Amino acid sequence: MPVLRDIFIQLSENKILNDTTKKIGLRFGADKVVGGIKVEDTIERIKDINNQGMSVTFDNLGEFITEKSDALWEKGNIIEMIKAIDENDLDAHASVKLSQIGLHIDYDFCLENTREILTVAKQADMFVNIDMENYAAYDDTIRLIDTVLEEFDNVGTVIQSYLFSSREDVIKYKNQRLRLVKGAYKEAPEVAFQDKRDIDAAYLRLIKTHLLEGKGFTSIATHDHNIIEETIDFIKENNIPNDQFEFQMLYGFRKDYQRNLVQRGYNTVVYVPFGYDWYAYFMRRLAERPQNLNLVIKGVTTDKRVQTGTAIAAGAAVLIGAYQLLKK
């Protein structure tokens, strides 16, 4: 449903809606896919996930950061979560978006914020994953990653399979810990694959390349069971030890499959977002795959009449809700 996907992506980029939703708490079923608003709430979610035999990567949600004061506040929130995880002796690591800590404000300012986060994480024996965002941020993100890799050994990044440059990046960072994803932004055909089949094929190539050609740990972040099962077959065929990779899935999605992977002996990590800026994240999850709409509906209600509604109906409900918020 490319039209619906584009609508949700456009909604995720709407600053007015993003600012409005910060004030109202989790809505539209977002509490089913966002770990919490505050650190203390999210810590309880992480404890529960750990008790189920899974690790966590947490993401402090935040978009449209244009003021240094806001970037410093977000940095503080990330550091607070790192310390809380350390104090509670939880199994979790950090995912950080550079745009949230000043990338679009000032590169050197963002670099210093990143160094501070990495230093605190290092003291807590925690790994930090630098997220890859839209293509407009690609060059500065790579530049910053190369800089901090010269200073820190507890940092890695994300490679998005829909970008044409991804295979080159996987080779470049073959000895680094990488999270491999398909990609959740709308990019131009000049820089990214547009067809799902091409993206999937590229994704599998990246997974296999990183598993075989380097020493870096591989985080395979997808809900696509076909790709996961093909990867498992590949791992078995090539005698790749289980301690060299993990599967990552988003909080709130495919819980049964997550537990199934744990039961089969595979390292499984839940990506837990938290914070006041939940709206843009939630919209991108709805844009990413039509199935996600149904998963959210099932999580919100047990009413079979609602569950059998189409993705378009769900999309319309969100649009109506957003419109009503703007009227307030």
Side-chain angles (χ1 to χ4, degrees):
M1 297 181 186
V3 174
L4 186 59
R5 179 179 184 273
D6 289 350
I7 289 172
F8 280 120
I9 289 176
Q10 290 172 11
L11 285 171
S12 76
E13 297 170 349
N14 188 299
K15 188 177 186 302
I16 295 174
L17 287 173
N18 190 75
D19 289 344
T20 302
T21 51
K22 288 181 188 177
K23 305 171 185 177
I24 64 169
L26 300 176
R27 296 284 183 91
F28 312 130
D31 61 325
K32 302 299 180 183
V33 297
V34 175
I37 295 291
K38 300 178 180 179
V39 168
E40 52 266 34
D41 299 330
T42 311
I43 285 292
E44 295 306 311
R45 302 290 182 278
I46 295 173
K47 287 179 181 178
D48 180 59
I49 293 167
N50 282 178
N51 288 337
Q52 297 177 55
M54 294 178 282
S55 182
V56 162
T57 181
F58 73 85
D59 176 20
N60 175 49
L61 297 173
E63 310 259 345
F64 308 108
I65 303 299
T66 58
E67 301 293 335
K68 285 189 175 182
S69 58
D70 292 335
L72 292 172
W73 190 90
E74 298 293 357
K75 178 190 67 176
N77 214 28
I78 294 167
I79 289 173
E80 181 184 354
M81 178 62 86
I82 292 172
K83 291 180 176 179
I85 287 170
D86 188 34
E87 290 168 2
N88 285 274
D89 195 25
L90 299 177
D91 182 6
H93 67 271
S95 291
V96 175
K97 287 182 171 58
L98 296 180
S99 63
Q100 187 182 69
I101 56 172
L103 186 65
H104 300 319
I105 301 171
D106 179 81
Y107 175 85
D108 291 333
F109 170 70
C110 180
L111 178 58
E112 287 309 306
N113 286 335
T114 305
R115 284 183 172 128
E116 185 175 346
I117 290 169
L118 289 171
T119 299
V120 174
K122 181 71 173 178
Q123 293 168 350
D125 194 26
M126 183 182 293
F127 173 75
V128 176
N129 204 89
I130 303 296
D131 282 346
M132 193 65 68
E133 302 178 67
N134 62 14
Y135 190 73
Y138 174 83
D139 288 340
D140 280 343
T141 301
I142 291 294
R143 176 186 169 198
L144 188 144
I145 289 165
D146 289 344
T147 299
V148 296
L149 278 172
E150 294 176 359
E151 307 171 39
F152 297 91
D153 61 2
N154 62 323
V155 62
T157 191
V158 176
I159 305 297
Q160 300 165 313
S161 74
Y162 63 6
L163 294 181
F164 297 149
S165 59
S166 292
R167 180 171 173 78
E168 180 181 335
D169 288 338
V170 165
I171 296 298
K172 176 181 178 179
Y173 298 117
K174 65 181 181 180
N175 294 323
Q176 307 300 326
R177 179 171 177 170
L178 295 179
R179 176 194 295 144
L180 305 180
V181 303
K182 294 184 184 182
Y185 297 85
K186 183 175 175 59
E187 303 293 1
E190 290 78 17
V191 300
F193 294 112
Q194 305 296 305
D195 187 86
K196 181 182 182 301
R197 290 170 295 183
D198 293 333
I199 295 169
D200 287 355
Y203 188 48
L204 277 166
R205 287 195 298 270
L206 296 185
I207 292 170
K208 294 174 181 179
T209 298
H210 198 246
L211 284 170
L212 283 183
E213 297 195 18
K215 300 178 182 178
F217 187 83
T218 306
S219 297
I220 302 154
T222 182
H223 298 149
D224 189 330
H225 63 276
N226 292 317
I227 285 180
I228 291 173
E229 295 302 329
E230 182 169 341
T231 298
I232 288 173
D233 290 341
F234 178 81
I235 285 163
K236 291 178 178 177
E237 290 168 6
N238 290 275
N239 298 312
I240 297 171
N242 283 6
D243 62 2
Q244 291 187 13
F245 67 92
E246 66 190 13
F247 295 109
Q248 291 190 5
M249 295 189 194
L250 301 174
Y251 175 71
F253 296 108
R254 305 216 66 173
K255 294 181 181 179
D256 289 343
Y257 196 29
Q258 292 172 16
R259 287 190 286 267
N260 174 266
L261 289 170
V262 172
Q263 291 167 1
R264 292 159 68 183
Y266 297 113
N267 296 316
T268 305
V269 177
V270 181
Y271 185 99
V272 178
F274 80 100
Y276 293 93
D277 285 352
W278 57 270
Y279 172 78
Y281 169 85
F282 185 49
M283 290 299 105
R284 281 199 297 273
R285 297 292 75 79
L286 296 181
E288 210 166 32
R289 299 173 71 236
Q291 295 94 321
N292 286 352
L293 290 165
N294 294 326
L295 288 169
V296 170
I297 294 168
K298 290 178 181 179
V300 173
T301 179
T302 58
D303 189 328
K304 296 297 182 182
R305 293 170 297 179
V306 177
Q307 289 186 2
T308 56
T310 65
I312 292 176
V318 174
L319 288 169
I320 292 169
Y323 172 73
Q324 290 174 338
L325 282 173
L326 285 175
K327 287 173 62 181
K328 292 183 179 180

